[in-house]
């Protein structure tokens, strides 16, 4: 079981949610968002937090429940909350990305998010979707099977949530603002965290390292979430194997492994059995740094897995993969497959209606007259998809502009192909100015309701070559194939898994490589698709899908709620 401090917090959170359940299918709670002074790395820092905790509260529901969250913004910053991975079927106004589906909740304002959780069981999470606030405004969303249904794996004795995060000895809004003002890359974080605490290996350790107590012989379900802004992580537990049983709230075929890789936004459910000699074992995570030559924080965050009644001892530390171990990262990510006997499994659509080939990578934007910026060649750092660097509106959300047919806010000319074909992953092209400059546009891709969309994500070597975690709002997608180099349709379509591909909402496109996803656009609205590295998202690595209405009330964009924040 967890340590006493965390156990008390769990009990209080559980009781709070329990008294808020007004019926078997309605779970209601409140988020009080405001400044909180905390001490990490022997330094006090004011952060923005939910309900006075870091991470924020874990929300526990059953599949089929309706979740109602009243958000009160008592912080000094604009705020929205995104429910990462939730389908939001016919509730697009609750999705949360700022200026995509709503205007921000202003300081002193409030908004109620209300949505249903049908067709998903497992681990999702929630986080701020405004600037860099999600560095500290985040928490888990646990969806258990509804009454009468069971997990398709051995029933765990207990379960716990492991949230990986990042920590700055600074105001994260200032870190982002400074970088955007100078056009350069932001400062790296000072530490990584597990459930809000850096762990024992930092120069200023704390006696509050997260601790999970286990009973010998018992099996536990760990819900592991990467809530970090800018880092992918390798995660291991010393001397213990893990069996993956779910990713992004979708069941997988069991996969036995001693290490997992999680990109920002991804979740992984694993079973572990306490079958080692009684003692203490570190759970540890450090970055998977795929971008060669780019500085990063090479520290390791830890928590402790402690056997009950064991003689106190120094925890055993696992040997994590090298920081740039792409083969290990790819082997794990590409070996995941879906459990087709899941009650929520839907076979892969075999006919494609919309086919897109999207290059993703870094670039440059003009610094402006009489200025010198901190990016390469004195320009601003930028990022793009098919050479369109995405800019959000500032006076109205895209969803409201679509509903009210407001002109001049966006265009629907996002291209299905890049404007120029070149040797995408050849590092000799990395600093070709003819390829680097990216126009700033608010261009969307329009798709018909219920059409099947296939996207080939092609990484590029522009400026740097790295793994990009791509997140799609409003849908899960099937990962048909992934590989290295330039995608070749003549050779690579034969690698498609159309039988039991992994299903998820966030995918790391391999460094110097490609990935193919497919999904059915059966949810009308405007859905953000973007890189989940927060260093790249404000640079423009994103776009949005405008899914048209169908022909029935069940396939038509609903009117916004009365309390939707106004710009």
């Amino acid at each position: 079981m967890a340590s006493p401090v965390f156990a008390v917090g769990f009990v209080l959170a559980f009781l709070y949610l329990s008294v808020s359940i007004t019926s078997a299918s309605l779970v209601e709670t409140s988020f009080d968002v405001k400044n909180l002074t905390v001490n990490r790395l022997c330094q006090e820092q004011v952060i923005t937090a939910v309900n006075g905790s870091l991470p924020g509260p874990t929300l526990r529901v059953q599949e089929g429940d309706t979740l109602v969250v009243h958000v009160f913004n008592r912080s000094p910053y604009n705020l929205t909350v995104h429910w990462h991975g939730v389908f939001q079927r016919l509730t697009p106004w609750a999705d949360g990305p700022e200026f995509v589906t709503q205007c921000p909740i202003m300081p002193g304002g409030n908004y109620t998010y209300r949505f249903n959780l049908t067709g998903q069981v497992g681990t999702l999470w929630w986080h701020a979707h405004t600037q860099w606030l999600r560095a500290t405004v985040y928490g888990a969303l646990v969806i258990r099977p509804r009454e009468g249904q069971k997990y398709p794996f051995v029933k765990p004795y207990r379960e716990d949530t492991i949230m990986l995060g990042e920590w700055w000895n600074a105001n994260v809004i200032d870190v982002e603002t400074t970088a955007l003002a100078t056009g350069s890359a932001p400062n790296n974080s000072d530490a990584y965290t597990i459930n809000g605490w850096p762990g024992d290996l930092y120069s200023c350790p704390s006696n509050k390292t997260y601790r999970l107590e286990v009973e010998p012989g018992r099996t536990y379900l760990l819900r592991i979430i990467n809530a970090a802004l800018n880092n992918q992580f390798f995660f291991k537990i010393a001397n213990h194997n893990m069996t993956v049983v779910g990713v992004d709230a979708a069941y997988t075929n069991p996969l036995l492994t001693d290490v997992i890789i999680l990109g920002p936004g991804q979740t992984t459910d694993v079973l572990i059995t306490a079958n080692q000699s009684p003692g203490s074992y570190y759970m540890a995570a450090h970055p998977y740094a795929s971008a060669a030559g780019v500085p990063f924080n090479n520290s390791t965050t830890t928590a402790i897995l402690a056997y009950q009644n064991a003689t106190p001892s120094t925890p055993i530390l696992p040997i994590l993969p090298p920081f740039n171990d792409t083969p290990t990262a790819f082997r794990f990510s590409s070996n995941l497959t879906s459990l087709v006997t899941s009650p929520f499994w839907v076979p892969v659509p075999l006919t494609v209606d919309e086919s897109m080939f999207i290059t993703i990578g870094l670039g440059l934007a003009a610094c402006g007259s009489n200025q010198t910026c901190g990016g390469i060649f004195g320009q601003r750092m930028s990022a793009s998809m098919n050479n369109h660097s995405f800019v959000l509106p500032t006076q109205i959300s895209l969803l409201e502009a679509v509903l009210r047919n407001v002109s001049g806010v966006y265009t629907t000319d996002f291209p299905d192909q890049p404007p120029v074909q070149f040797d995408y992953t050849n590092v000799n092209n990395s600093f070709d100015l003819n390829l680097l400059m990216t126009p700033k546009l608010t261009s969307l891709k329009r798709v018909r309701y219920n059409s099947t969309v296939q996207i080939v994500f092609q990484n590029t070597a522009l400026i740097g070559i790295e793994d990009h975690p791509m997140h799609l709002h409003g849908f899960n997608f099937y990962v048909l194939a992934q590989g290295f180099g330039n995608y070749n349709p003549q050779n690579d379509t034969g690698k498609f898994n159309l039988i039991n591909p992994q299903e998820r909402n966030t995918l790391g496109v391999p460094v110097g490589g490609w990935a193919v996803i497919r999904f059915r656009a059966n949810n009308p609205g405007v859905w953000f698709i973007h890189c989940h590295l927060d260093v790249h998202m404000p640079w423009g690595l994103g776009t949005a899908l405008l899914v048209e209405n169908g022909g029935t009330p069940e396939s038509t964009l609903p009117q916004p709620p009365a309390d939707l924040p106004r710009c």
Side-chain angles (χ1 to χ4, degrees):
M1 54 184 265
S3 63
V5 172
F6 288 93
V8 169
F10 170 83
V11 170
L12 290 176
F14 179 79
L15 289 175
Y16 181 77
L17 284 175
S18 296
V19 298
S20 299
I21 299 175
T22 57
S23 72
S25 60
L26 181 68
V27 179
E28 188 170 6
T29 190
S30 295
F31 282 3
D32 187 17
V33 186
K34 59 184 179 181
N35 284 351
L36 176 70
T37 300
V38 299
N39 192 302
R40 298 290 189 276
L41 304 180
C42 295
Q43 177 175 318
E44 285 197 343
Q45 180 65 46
V46 177
I47 65 171
T48 304
V50 176
N51 295 358
S53 67
L54 175 68
T58 294
L59 305 181
R60 294 174 174 84
V61 299
Q62 289 183 308
E63 189 264 328
D65 284 351
T66 293
L67 183 59
V68 178
V69 183
H70 307 286
V71 177
F72 299 91
N73 185 10
R74 307 184 204 279
S75 83
Y77 307 109
N78 291 346
L79 172 73
T80 67
V81 179
H82 171 50
W83 314 92
H84 189 110
V86 174
F87 293 150
Q88 300 291 1
R89 295 280 162 77
L90 296 182
T91 53
W93 305 100
D95 191 43
E98 183 184 43
F99 293 118
V100 177
T101 61
Q102 68 168 98
C103 292
I105 308 169
M106 302 294 186
N110 62 278
Y111 179 49
T112 295
Y113 293 91
R114 182 186 184 103
F115 51 90
N116 186 262
L117 293 154
T118 296
Q120 296 174 281
V121 170
T123 307
L124 298 175
W125 64 301
W126 55 266
H127 60 81
H129 214 296
T130 308
Q131 296 181 279
W132 274 24
L133 282 182
R134 79 172 178 89
T136 55
V137 177
Y138 64 85
L141 173 55
V142 173
I143 310 171
R144 295 193 177 99
R146 65 173 67 202
E147 294 294 333
Q149 294 188 357
K150 299 179 180 180
Y151 293 124
F153 46 80
V154 61
K155 182 179 179 180
Y157 175 62
R158 284 182 183 162
E159 60 181 63
D160 200 20
T161 300
I162 303 295
M163 299 203 75
L164 309 177
E166 287 187 87
W167 177 262
W168 278 261
N169 283 330
N171 181 314
V172 292
I173 299 299
D174 292 343
V175 172
E176 181 191 21
T177 301
T178 299
L180 292 176
T182 61
S184 58
N187 291 339
N188 288 323
S189 56
D190 295 290
Y192 308 117
T193 59
I194 294 179
N195 288 352
W197 297 98
D200 296 341
L201 303 186
Y202 288 88
S203 59
C204 181
S206 166
N207 62 359
K208 295 184 179 179
T209 293
Y210 189 78
R211 182 182 180 91
L212 173 65
E213 291 189 0
V214 296
E215 293 185 20
R218 298 287 194 179
T219 295
Y220 295 78
L221 173 63
L222 299 186
R223 303 176 181 274
I224 308 169
I225 303 167
N226 186 353
L229 263 67
N230 297 317
N231 279 280
Q232 303 176 77
F233 288 114
F234 289 115
F235 177 88
K236 290 187 74 171
I237 305 173
N239 294 2
H240 289 75
N241 286 326
M242 298 172 280
T243 300
V244 178
V245 293
V247 296
D248 293 359
Y251 291 130
T252 65
N253 287 309
L255 177 65
L256 184 66
T257 182
D258 68 339
V259 61
I260 65 173
I261 176 84
L262 297 101
Q266 291 184 324
T267 75
T268 304
D269 292 348
V270 302
L271 297 174
I272 65 162
T273 300
N275 56 8
Q276 298 299 302
S277 299
S280 295
Y281 301 84
Y282 275 127
M283 299 182 278
H286 77 198
Y288 164 48
S290 64
V294 176
F296 67 97
N297 181 337
N298 64 356
S299 63
T300 300
T301 181
T302 56
I304 298 173
L305 182 81
Y307 282 64
Q308 288 184 4
N309 303 319
T311 302
S313 61
T314 300
I316 298 172
L317 186 66
I319 299 175
L320 288 160
F323 297 108
N324 63 348
D325 192 348
T326 291
T328 293
F330 184 79
R331 183 167 54 250
F332 175 80
S333 298
S334 60
N335 279 335
L336 294 166
T337 54
S338 286
L339 184 70
V340 299
T341 56
S342 162
F344 311 113
W345 171 256
V346 177
V348 180
L350 299 180
T351 301
V352 175
D353 302 304
E354 297 277 357
S355 183
M356 305 177 70
F357 181 92
I358 300 179
T359 55
I360 54 178
L362 301 183
L364 297 173
C367 182
S369 60
N370 301 319
Q371 295 184 60
T372 300
C373 291
I376 296 170
F377 302 126
Q379 304 296 327
R380 291 185 177 276
M381 295 301 296
S382 184
S384 70
M385 297 169 60
N386 279 352
N387 205 45
H388 282 216
S389 187
F390 193 70
V391 178
L392 289 168
T394 58
Q395 301 300 319
I396 189 174
S397 74
L398 292 171
L399 188 59
E400 187 168 2
V402 168
L403 179 73
R404 307 199 187 287
N405 198 27
V406 179
S407 62
V409 178
Y410 64 91
T411 63
T412 56
D413 58 352
F414 183 86
D416 290 342
Q417 304 285 330
V420 177
Q421 293 186 359
F422 60 99
D423 189 356
Y424 304 113
T425 55
N426 188 339
V427 295
N428 292 324
N429 293 322
S430 293
F431 301 104
D432 185 343
L433 276 173
N434 294 315
L435 300 172
L436 290 181
M437 301 308 292
T438 57
K440 296 292 183 179
L441 302 164
T442 308
S443 55
L444 315 185
K445 167 66 177 178
R446 182 188 294 272
V447 298
R448 290 181 293 103
Y449 176 80
N450 218 34
S451 60
T452 296
V453 180
Q454 179 172 295
I455 299 175
V456 177
F457 286 120
Q458 174 67 64
N459 257 321
T460 69
L462 298 180
I463 296 183
I465 187 165
E466 63 182 314
D467 183 296
H468 286 100
M470 300 302 296
H471 172 48
L472 173 61
H473 291 229
F475 305 93
N476 276 0
F477 51 75
Y478 304 100
V479 183
L480 302 187
Q482 34 189 328
F484 295 102
N486 298 331
Y487 176 76
N488 184 327
Q490 282 71 41
N491 298 330
D492 294 329
T493 52
K495 303 172 185 176
F496 285 9
N497 178 358
L498 300 174
I499 305 301
N500 61 353
Q502 61 180 289
E503 182 183 0
R504 58 189 324 152
N505 61 65
T506 306
L507 170 69
V509 180
V511 54
W514 52 268
V516 183
I517 68 170
R518 189 180 293 182
F519 63 96
R520 192 177 298 281
N522 56 2
N523 197 7
V526 177
W527 304 105
F528 206 15
I529 180 168
H530 61 92
C531 180
H532 218 270
L533 296 172
D534 272 28
V535 64
H536 292 168
M537 193 167 68
W539 288 352
L541 213 167
T543 186
L545 300 177
L546 195 174
V547 180
E548 298 175 340
N549 288 332
T552 65
E554 293 77 22
S555 60
T556 300
L557 178 65
Q559 293 294 313
D563 65 338
L564 186 73
R566 314 304 300 178
C567 293

